């Protein structure tokens, strides 16, 4: 009997890249023919939004998953261009598509983060792919689309990107347009920032409050008691699951003055 060999892990070294995921909301409600058409339309809209932004989609390392595309963008991709013009063009194309008569409406959730990525046997591994998978499925992002029924696109960026890129004001990115959300999905926890093109921060903030509150982690699974900006159990991201373990966060602050060592 012929032995079936298992996939060999990639020898690629980890590197820092911008990661992006776009997911179709309530995809399973469409029939097979419509799902196939939506997948083609999603690729076309991403291609056109990237071209108008000056981004080379041919250089993206894409990992399609049916109703979702995950992508690792090339080194030196301007992060502000992705968060600004690319999101704008995607929202416009999506709105134009949904305005066509007799078309079934498509709504999208999008997540963006930057961090360590490594090529792996079944796609990509590292904190950034895992974080993007969690952000795009965050209850708050889903609650925003469920509440703001006129919205076609909801975007969540990581706290890291918000602090480093959005708050710098590059490409007219306005920090006031983003609403912070505490995301806890599976073994991931951290802060993300939500923006909905065409809607005010007040609208988004009201919608975020409709999301279920994150449940506290069991004591055995909880990270350090030190407040963290983000933590994630790192491992191989296969589809939307993760295995392995590593905690990532802010440096541990020094102990208060006068406190002795704990025995």
């Amino acid at each position: 009997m012929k032995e079936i060999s298992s996939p060999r892990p990639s020898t690629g070294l980890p590197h820092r890249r911008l990661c992006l995921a776009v997911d179709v909301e309530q995809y399973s409600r469409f029939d097979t023919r419509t799902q196939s058409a939506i997948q083609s339309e999603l690729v076309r809209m991403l291609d056109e939004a990237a071209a108008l932004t000056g981004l080379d989609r041919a250089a993206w390392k894409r990992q399609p998953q049916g109703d979702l595309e995950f992508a690792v963008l090339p080194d030196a991709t301007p992060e502000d261009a992705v968060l600004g013009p690319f999101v704008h063009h995607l929202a416009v194309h999506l709105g134009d598509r949904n305005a066509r008569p007799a078309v079934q409406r498509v709504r999208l959730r999008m997540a963006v983060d930057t961090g360590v990525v490594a090529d792996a046997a079944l796609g990509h591994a590292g904190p950034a792919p895992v974080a993007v998978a969690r952000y795009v499925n965050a209850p708050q992002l889903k609650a925003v689309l469920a509440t703001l029924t006129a919205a076609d696109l909801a975007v969540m960026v990581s706290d890291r990107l918000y602090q480093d890129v959005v708050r710098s004001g590059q490409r007219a990115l306005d920090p006031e347009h983003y609403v912070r959300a505490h995301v806890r999905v599976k073994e991931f926890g951290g802060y993300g920032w939500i923006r909905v093109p065409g809607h005010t921060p007040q609208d988004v903030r009201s919608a975020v409050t409709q999301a279920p509150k994150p449940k506290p982690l069991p004591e055995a699974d909880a990270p350090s008691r030190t407040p963290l900006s983000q933590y994630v159990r790192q491992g191989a991201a296969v589809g939307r699951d993760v295995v392995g373990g590593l905690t990532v966060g802010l440096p541990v602050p020094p102990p208060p003055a006068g406190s002795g060592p704990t025995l």
Side-chain angles (χ1 to χ4, degrees), residues 22-25 38 41-42 44-46 48-49 86-100 103-110 145 150-155 197:
V22 180
D23 196 358
V24 179
E25 180 79 356
I38 287 173
E41 289 179 314
L42 176 59
R44 177 184 56 78
M45 289 188 291
L46 292 172
E48 293 176 352
F86 177 77
V87 168
H88 168 74
H89 292 307
L90 180 59
V92 170
H93 277 76
L94 184 59
D96 290 345
R97 184 258 177 213
N98 286 339
R100 297 202 304 261
V103 71
Q104 295 196 60
R105 189 178 177 202
V106 169
R107 310 173 77 203
L108 301 177
R109 303 190 310 274
M110 175 176 168
L145 283 186
D152 291 322
L153 174 66
V155 181

Side-chain angles (χ1 to χ4, degrees), residues 34-57:
T34 305
Q35 288 179 353
S36 179
I38 287 173
Q39 289 188 31
S40 297
E41 289 179 314
L42 176 59
V43 172
R44 177 184 56 78
M45 289 188 291
L46 292 172
D47 288 346
E48 293 176 352
L52 289 171
T53 309
L55 302 175
D56 182 11
R57 278 266 289 169

Side-chain angles (χ1 to χ4, degrees), residues 191-240:
Y191 287 102
W193 295 80
I194 300 175
R195 179 167 78 92
V196 179
H199 288 264
T200 68
Q202 292 76 17
D203 292 338
V204 177
R205 191 170 293 109
S206 176
V208 167
T209 62
Q210 306 300 316
K213 300 299 180 184
K215 297 179 180 179
L217 291 174
E219 187 67 24
D221 294 334
S224 164
R225 293 182 183 273
T226 303
L228 300 178
S229 62
Q230 176 178 314
Y231 61 85
V232 55
R233 293 185 182 276
Q234 175 187 345
V238 180
R240 301 179 187 177

Side-chain angles (χ1 to χ4, degrees), residues 135 156-159 162 179-183 190-194 229:
Y135 284 132
M156 179 177 283
V157 305
S158 67
D159 185 63
Y162 177 83
V179 175
R180 191 174 76 159
H182 181 204
V183 178
Y191 287 102
W193 295 80
I194 300 175
S229 62

Side-chain angles (χ1 to χ4, degrees), residues 17-24 46 60 68-73 82-83 86-87 90 108-114 128-138 141 153-159 161 178 183 188 191-195:
R17 291 289 188 274
L18 191 68
C19 298
L20 177 151
V22 180
D23 196 358
V24 179
L46 292 172
W60 293 20
L68 179 147
E69 181 182 297
F70 169 79
V72 178
L73 278 59
V82 174
L83 301 185
F86 177 77
V87 168
L90 180 59
L108 301 177
R109 303 190 310 274
M110 175 176 168
V112 193
D113 193 11
T114 183
V130 174
V132 165
R134 301 303 180 244
Y135 284 132
V136 81
N137 285 297
L141 202 59
L153 174 66
V155 181
M156 179 177 283
V157 305
S158 67
D159 185 63
L161 278 176
Y178 293 77
V183 178
F188 173 87
Y191 287 102
W193 295 80
I194 300 175
R195 179 167 78 92

Side-chain angles (χ1 to χ4, degrees), residues 139-155:
Q140 294 91 336
L141 202 59
K142 294 181 178 181
V144 164
L145 283 186
T147 304
L148 303 180
T149 55
D152 291 322
L153 174 66
V155 181

Side-chain angles (χ1 to χ4, degrees), residues 9 15 20 25 30 50 63 115 134 184 194 210 216 232 242 256 259 262:
H15 41 260
L20 177 151
E25 180 79 356
F30 299 110
Q63 186 175 331
R134 301 303 180 244
R184 183 170 291 159
I194 300 175
Q210 306 300 316
V232 55
V242 58
S259 63
T262 302

